[in-house]
Amino acid sequence: MLTIHPADPHQIAVALNVTIDWPAVAYIGIDDGAIAGSGGLAWGGDRCWLWFTVLESKPEYARPVLQMAMRLLRKARQLGESHVFTVRDKQYETSPRLLKLTGFKFHALENDQEVYRCEI
């Protein structure tokens, strides 16, 4: 069963071999003792960004990921943000549906990436 826990962004970066070089609030997903993914909010480029990294996609992760995204949007609002941005992950065909369910709308094409924005 997937559980989601607050985590140190630096530890996530090291564990998943990713770069997190902006101020961030991070969470990690654990399933049966293994890292399933991570996500959080990061601030950079005059924007607040919502990010998720999934190591292995499973259908049963959909609900907890959606709930976590909504929780992160509430946290961004509490921290004074009016908009949150994210990049569509082209690797997953369910990405557009998840973005729509969480209130994100296409914003712009930037550096060959689809950027979506959610007004909160």
Side-chain angles (χ1 to χ4, degrees):
M1 182 170 114
L2 180 68
T3 58
I4 299 173
H5 310 275
D8 174 21
H10 176 71
Q11 289 177 334
I12 289 174
V14 170
L16 300 178
N17 194 28
V18 296
T19 301
I20 301 175
D21 53 5
W22 289 343
V25 173
Y27 294 84
I28 194 160
I30 306 289
D31 187 7
D32 199 24
I35 297 173
S38 63
L41 297 170
W43 288 266
D46 293 326
R47 293 178 177 171
C48 176
W49 296 88
L50 180 121
W51 56 275
F52 275 105
T53 302
V54 178
L55 299 180
E56 182 182 346
S57 181
K58 293 183 180 180
E60 61 265 27
Y61 292 171
R63 176 169 272 164
V65 167
L66 183 60
Q67 290 171 337
M68 192 66 213
M70 300 307 281
R71 192 177 320 157
L72 288 167
L73 291 173
R74 283 192 304 272
K75 182 157 200 68
R77 187 176 336 127
Q78 290 171 349
L79 294 171
E81 299 296 338
S82 59
H83 296 91
V84 175
F85 295 82
T86 195
V87 174
R88 180 173 96 80
D89 191 340
K90 295 177 185 178
Q91 178 181 355
Y92 298 103
E93 64 183 49
T94 57
S95 180
R97 187 169 155 230
L98 179 61
L99 290 168
K100 185 176 181 179
L101 286 171
T102 53
F104 282 89
K105 295 180 181 171
F106 180 76
H107 175 69
L109 189 62
E110 298 176 4
N111 300 319
D112 287 333
Q113 293 184 318
E114 293 179 23
V115 175
Y116 285 72
R117 183 179 84 168
C118 180
E119 191 171 327
I120 52 173

